[in-house]
Structures are given as structure tokens and as C-alpha cells.
Amino acid sequence: MHTRSRRPTADLPELVPGVTLVDVDDDIGVTPVQALLLDRVLSRDGPAFWVDGANRANTTRLRELAPADRILDRIEVARGFTAHQHTSLLDRLAGRLDEQSSPSVVVATGLDGMYRAADVNGDLAEQMFIRAIASVARIARVHDVPVVVTRCHEDGFSRPLRRAAAMHLQCRATAFGPRFEDAASDTETLVYHTDDGWMQTTLAYWREVLEHRARMHEASTVERAMASPGVQ
């Protein structure tokens, strides 16, 4: 894969309040979701919360992607290793957020993962999964913030999560790199591309996208400050 590239166009999908389901090709991994998380933290003031149910919360990769370590201070990560633990984490997060200011974003990767495990029977697992979906939907509704969720499998069991999502994005691997698409309208939301026509899907590329976005956000902040009354 060609690894040299000019600065990429950094048009990441704009997250809107509500539940957004992101399906990512297996060979891409969780990195696109991490990029969405970091981009939201870069552009907002509130904290971010990541609840993982499928051993996808790679904090080492998150640190490697972040343009600056200080950004990570506003991200809290929790992992659920059983269905009961995962449900409890989501319930506690919803209750905790009711007592503080709104977050910038909440991410729940592998939301269906723990409820497919053997430690709970079928009927109870489905009930607990519905409860988990209700928790993330409540967070999105009460705090009017984006909640990004992923699923381990697209099947009948995970269908309630798809129904609860106001937006459904797919991140697919293409010959020219990863591409986000709006699954509902089948229209392209984002293409990562470079001026020379080549693509790279390495960690270095994703970090370059975020560093460019960080510069864009910082410039926007300065412009707003200069436009404020009383600022010379």
C-alpha cells in the first residue's frame, strides 16, 4: 500500500444528537469510530464517555490517534466483561449524566456483544439488550447529544438497535480507502482521499486527518473570539 500522501481532506461525518449506528468493515476495525470520538471532543467542551462491550476499547490506539494528550483527559473509558456488568455500566452512566453537564459524545462499541454470551439465557439476554438500547437512547434524548453505537453482528438479534438509531452509517473498505456512507439513503457521506489520488489506511493517515481537524477547530475558535464584542 502506498504510504506517502499529501494532507487529506478531513470531512468527517457530522454527528447529530440522537443514536447513530456505525457498521464498520471487519478489516478496518474500530479506528473510524475512535476518529469520530476524538473529532467530537476536539470541537466541543464537554467530556466524552466510551462504554465497550466487545473488547474494542483500545486506549493505546486512542492515544496514538489523539493530536494531543490533553484531549484524552476528557475521555472516560469503561469495559463490560459480562452482560450484567455491561448493563450496569450503561445504567450508571445514564444516572451519572443526569447529575452533571451534558457530554460532548457517548460511544458504545459492540453493544450487542455481551448479550450473545453463554452466561445469560436467550429470553433474559434479549431483555437486557433492550434495556441497554433504552439506556443509550435515554442519554441521547435527555442530553441532546450524539451517541455512537456499533454492533458485533447484523442479524435479527441486533435489529432493535438498528430501529432505535436515528442515523445509520457504514464505513466500508474500498480500493481508495475507507468510505462512510449513509445506509438509509445509500449516498456517500465521506470519502477520505488525497490530492495525488492514493490512499492509505494506516494509523499515521488517521492521525493526520485528526491533526488537520484540530487545526481547523483551533482556527474556528480564534475567529469566534476575534468576532466577539470588545475583542480588539
Side-chain angles (χ1 to χ4, degrees):
M1 177 70 70
H2 183 75
T3 57
R4 293 180 299 170
S5 66
R6 302 170 190 173
R7 179 174 298 169
T9 299
D11 295 327
L12 286 164
E14 183 67 26
L15 297 177
V16 297
V19 177
T20 295
L21 172 63
V22 181
D23 285 326
V24 184
D25 282 357
D26 290 340
D27 53 349
I28 301 178
V30 75
T31 308
V33 177
Q34 293 174 317
L36 292 175
L37 168 64
L38 288 168
D39 181 58
R40 185 73 184 183
V41 173
L42 281 168
S43 62
R44 297 296 189 277
D45 294 329
F49 299 90
W50 183 0
V51 179
D52 179 55
N55 198 27
R56 303 286 177 83
N58 187 324
T59 54
T60 300
R61 174 60 60 86
L62 194 65
R63 183 174 184 179
E64 291 172 334
L65 283 173
D69 284 349
R70 66 179 183 277
I71 298 170
L72 303 177
D73 293 337
R74 294 195 286 122
I75 303 175
E76 294 190 30
V77 180
R79 294 182 178 91
F81 295 100
T82 67
H84 292 280
Q85 188 180 67
H86 188 259
T87 305
S88 177
L89 284 172
L90 291 173
D91 287 345
R92 287 165 54 192
L93 177 60
R96 176 181 173 186
L97 292 179
D98 287 346
E99 300 173 357
Q100 65 179 41
S101 59
S102 295
S104 58
V105 65
V106 172
V107 172
T109 44
L111 193 65
D112 58 331
M114 289 297 103
Y115 308 101
R116 298 175 182 273
D119 63 327
V120 288
N121 64 47
D123 291 340
L124 179 58
E126 184 174 358
Q127 294 172 15
M128 295 178 71
F129 181 44
I130 297 299
R131 178 177 165 185
I133 297 173
S135 292
V136 297
R138 173 189 171 190
I139 291 171
R141 181 179 65 255
V142 170
H143 298 279
D144 195 33
V145 297
V147 176
V148 178
V149 299
T150 69
R151 55 186 171 181
C152 296
H153 300 288
E154 181 181 353
D155 56 14
F157 184 80
S158 65
R159 190 171 297 121
L161 180 58
R162 172 64 190 93
R163 290 198 295 262
M167 180 183 294
H168 181 196
L169 298 176
Q170 293 178 314
C171 188
R172 302 186 181 280
T174 74
F176 301 102
R179 179 175 67 198
F180 281 99
E181 297 174 344
D182 184 339
S185 60
D186 198 30
T187 59
E188 182 179 291
T189 302
L190 167 71
V191 176
Y192 288 123
H193 61 85
T194 59
D195 293 337
D196 58 8
W198 286 86
M199 277 297 310
Q200 58 178 3
T201 59
T202 61
L203 174 64
Y205 175 79
W206 289 94
R207 182 168 184 177
E208 186 178 356
V209 170
L210 288 167
E211 288 174 347
H212 183 44
R213 293 285 279 189
R215 290 190 291 269
M216 292 169 57
H217 291 315
E218 289 171 1
S220 177
T221 300
V222 171
E223 290 174 1
R224 290 196 300 270
M226 293 298 291
S228 299
V231 176
Q232 298 287 327

